[in-house]
Amino acid sequence: MFRSLRRALCAAAAVLLLPTAGALTAHAETTANTAAPGAGYWHTSGRQILDAAGQPVRIAGINWFGFETANHVVHGLWSRDYKSMIDQMRSLGYNTLRLPYSDDIFKSGTVPDSIDFSGGKNADLQGLTSLQVLDKLVGYAGQDGLKVILDRHRPDSGGQSALWYTAAVPESTWIANLKAIATRYRGQDTVVGIDLHNEPHDPACWGCGDQATDWRLAAQRAGNAVLSANSDLLVFVEGVQTFNGVSGWWGGNLMGVAQYPVRLDVPNRVVYSAHDYATSVAQQSWFSDPTYPANLPGVWDKYWGYIFKQNLAPVWVGEFGTTLQSAVDQKWLSALVTYLRPTSTYGGDSFHWTFWSWNPNSGDTGGILKDDWSSVDTVKDGYLASVKAPGFPGTGGGGGDGGGGGTAACGAAYTVSSDWGGGFNAEVKVTNTGTTAISSWKVTWTWSGAQKVTSMWNASYTQSGASVTATNAAHNGALAAGGSASFGFGGAPGGAGVPAVTCTAT
């Protein structure tokens, strides 16, 4: 709901969040499957998404927006090379990219704006149209072991629309372009599906029977069109704002599915998608409930969680985000992550998700990246640690792949990010310094004082006396030569200084 508030700001003001001790929890990672799940195209079975071999997979991803704006390309390429961005996403444990676009990118002559080519950055994007740049992103993501969900976000770059069509972009154009993009990536299983339209809202309805406003009927028409062009794709269908007089977030109300499910000509292709946000986007009645945040699971059950719990279909929370500036929002994110189910316990039998957003220039949520388009907001990223999931088999040639032979080696850089006397937070960046890919790493150090690790994210640890050993999580152990991953932790008491660290790679 209130999507107009969640605007993209090309020059966002910096929001610096100081981590607090205990704000994050350590997590155990799922044991890697010897036959890595995710290969090929996917299909649904009850509430799970299965890969081509029938193994459950979990979408644990990130939104990277920009193709839907007047830049007609993902944002941040004015700062960095797109490959380094995708490598960084993978190293942080995100395994899927949701890429919003508008129908403007299908217009002849639409070219991207604001790409920096200096110093060799983005060199292979020069002279390309927006669609051709999208091809490059999809190709490299697949090489890195990331899957892609394409999101028809808006009819044009001017702004979000309540319905799936406007006077300038009729339904026929929407469907024709959906078929075109489904055809474009036919046979390229990096693209696993299409989100048909972002955040339908009033007057969009679900099950009302009016061809002009019934989103459920429109989703069936569009979904069948997509599958007629590429029958292997998943079809992601968002909710509406209001059903039977009960309103919620734009795109977040899936109450009508129980009575009016989406039925497509190809079975086992529908994934329902909800959006959910915190108070930095807008207020909702449940935020002021006296039982908050204990009331939240019941709210989510009502709007969309029941679909998963009743084994009707998979549920993907395609967008959720917050600036994390208020205690209310921190409680919301902690509760939502718990509700989504930890990967270490449930694996692929879980809710799917893509966080909003990678971009720091989302005006009312900020992003995983800070305003320099490089540094990671480790607080936000840390909240998501328990629901991250392993990456998927790559197609070869990307930053996540490496050949045989060579030397396996790694280095680690330890940085204290904040120290308030009674405790501190630190980040450790691990870099593959060898000449071949590595599959795992561990970092060790010994403090000179009485410091203890109180929590750790994106790695697991053991501590004996003053000596600490941190081992990669399941999602960030594999690093290409030159690749890097980061983990963070809280400790107490403060004044820890920076100890000597060693890194061992295998």
Side-chain angles (χ1 to χ4, degrees):
M1 196 175 182
F2 312 117
R3 180 54 194 253
S4 59
L5 294 178
R6 200 160 65 259
R7 60 200 180 279
L9 303 177
C10 290
V15 179
L16 300 178
L17 302 174
L18 290 179
T20 57
L24 304 172
T25 57
H27 70 287
E29 291 293 331
T30 186
T31 301
N33 193 318
T34 53
Y41 282 106
W42 298 351
H43 60 282
T44 70
S45 177
R47 68 190 191 183
Q48 293 188 350
I49 299 176
L50 307 180
D51 67 9
Q55 297 185 94
V57 296
R58 184 175 204 184
I59 295 168
I62 195 81
N63 284 271
W64 187 10
F65 68 78
F67 277 105
E68 83 284 15
T69 71
N71 297 101
H72 301 122
V73 71
V74 287
H75 287 175
L77 301 190
W78 53 69
S79 256
R80 291 180 61 189
D81 184 87
Y82 76 96
K83 293 179 181 178
S84 72
M85 294 261 228
I86 294 172
D87 288 346
Q88 187 179 22
M89 293 172 195
R90 181 185 184 278
S91 75
L92 290 172
Y94 300 102
N95 66 19
T96 304
L97 260 177
R98 180 178 183 254
L99 293 174
Y101 69 86
S102 85
D103 289 76
D104 282 350
I105 68 171
F106 296 95
K107 295 178 180 177
S108 177
T110 299
V111 294
D113 185 28
S114 301
I115 299 179
D116 181 13
F117 300 112
S118 67
K121 290 192 293 290
N122 302 302
D124 56 342
L125 305 185
Q126 293 194 66
L128 302 185
T129 67
S130 293
L131 275 174
Q132 289 170 334
V133 172
L134 181 59
D135 294 342
K136 290 287 189 179
L137 265 66
V138 167
Y140 193 79
Q143 292 170 10
D144 250 9
L146 276 69
K147 295 289 190 177
V148 170
I149 299 168
L150 300 172
D151 158 44
R152 193 279 195 155
H153 210 73
R154 302 170 173 173
D156 57 56
S157 61
Q160 187 60 43
S161 63
L163 299 173
W164 53 96
Y165 63 91
T166 63
V169 185
E171 178 175 307
S172 58
T173 299
W174 172 55
I175 288 180
N177 288 340
L178 286 171
K179 290 180 68 174
I181 206 161
T183 301
R184 189 178 190 92
Y185 296 111
R186 187 167 55 206
Q188 191 168 353
D189 59 26
T190 295
V191 176
V192 291
I194 299 177
D195 188 344
L196 297 177
H197 178 63
N198 186 67
E199 295 187 348
H201 53 278
D202 296 346
C205 60
W206 190 291
C208 65
D210 184 343
Q211 294 285 324
T213 57
D214 192 331
W215 167 236
R216 177 254 190 174
L217 294 179
Q220 290 185 163
R221 295 191 295 272
N224 284 328
V226 165
L227 294 172
S228 72
N230 186 346
S231 62
D232 291 314
L233 293 176
L234 295 174
V235 174
F236 295 89
V237 182
E238 298 188 28
V240 291
Q241 177 184 354
T242 304
F243 179 78
N244 283 351
V246 179
S247 293
W249 295 109
W250 289 1
N253 189 335
L254 286 159
M255 295 169 63
V257 170
Q259 187 176 355
Y260 305 105
V262 172
R263 302 188 188 281
L264 300 178
D265 295 339
V266 180
N268 304 317
R269 294 292 183 271
V270 176
V271 178
Y272 292 104
S273 175
H275 290 186
D276 202 88
Y277 279 96
T279 61
S280 64
V281 173
Q283 286 288 338
Q284 297 280 12
S285 60
W286 45 85
F287 293 123
S288 57
D289 188 289
T291 64
Y292 183 86
N295 64 319
L296 288 176
V299 172
W300 296 322
D301 283 348
K302 178 177 74 172
Y303 282 103
W304 44 267
Y306 76 93
I307 298 171
F308 175 85
K309 292 186 175 182
Q310 295 178 21
N311 201 36
L312 301 178
V315 176
W316 169 53
V317 185
E319 291 184 17
F320 64 106
T322 168
T323 60
L324 275 185
Q325 289 181 296
S326 70
V328 171
D329 286 19
Q330 293 160 13
K331 292 175 182 178
W332 165 85
L333 185 54
S334 178
L336 181 56
V337 166
T338 299
Y339 186 83
L340 295 177
R341 299 163 64 104
T343 304
S344 60
T345 304
Y346 297 101
D349 187 27
S350 306
F351 292 95
H352 305 273
W353 58 272
T354 44
F355 189 74
W356 186 276
S357 60
W358 181 248
N359 309 47
N361 60 326
S362 178
D364 47 11
T365 66
I368 291 297
L369 291 186
K370 296 183 179 180
D371 286 343
D372 62 3
W373 282 95
S374 181
S375 303
V376 175
D377 186 330
T378 55
V379 177
K380 274 189 189 178
D381 185 60
Y383 269 93
L384 304 172
S386 66
V387 291
K388 290 180 180 178
F392 306 116
T395 59
D401 296 287
T407 303
C410 62
Y414 179 120
T415 305
V416 176
S417 54
S418 58
D419 189 329
W420 54 94
F424 68 99
N425 281 290
E427 181 174 350
V428 179
K429 181 178 181 180
V430 178
T431 301
N432 181 348
T433 57
T435 58
T436 187
I438 61 176
S439 58
S440 64
W441 47 261
K442 67 178 179 180
V443 176
T444 59
W445 67 87
T446 301
W447 280 308
S448 58
Q451 283 77 22
K452 298 286 186 181
V453 175
T454 56
S455 63
M456 185 173 288
W457 49 98
N458 291 324
S460 58
Y461 74 95
T462 58
Q463 182 168 356
S464 177
S467 298
V468 180
T469 299
T471 306
N472 63 271
H475 64 259
N476 63 1
L479 296 177
S484 62
S486 296
F487 67 92
F489 63 91
V498 177
V501 294
T502 60
C503 185
T504 305
T506 56

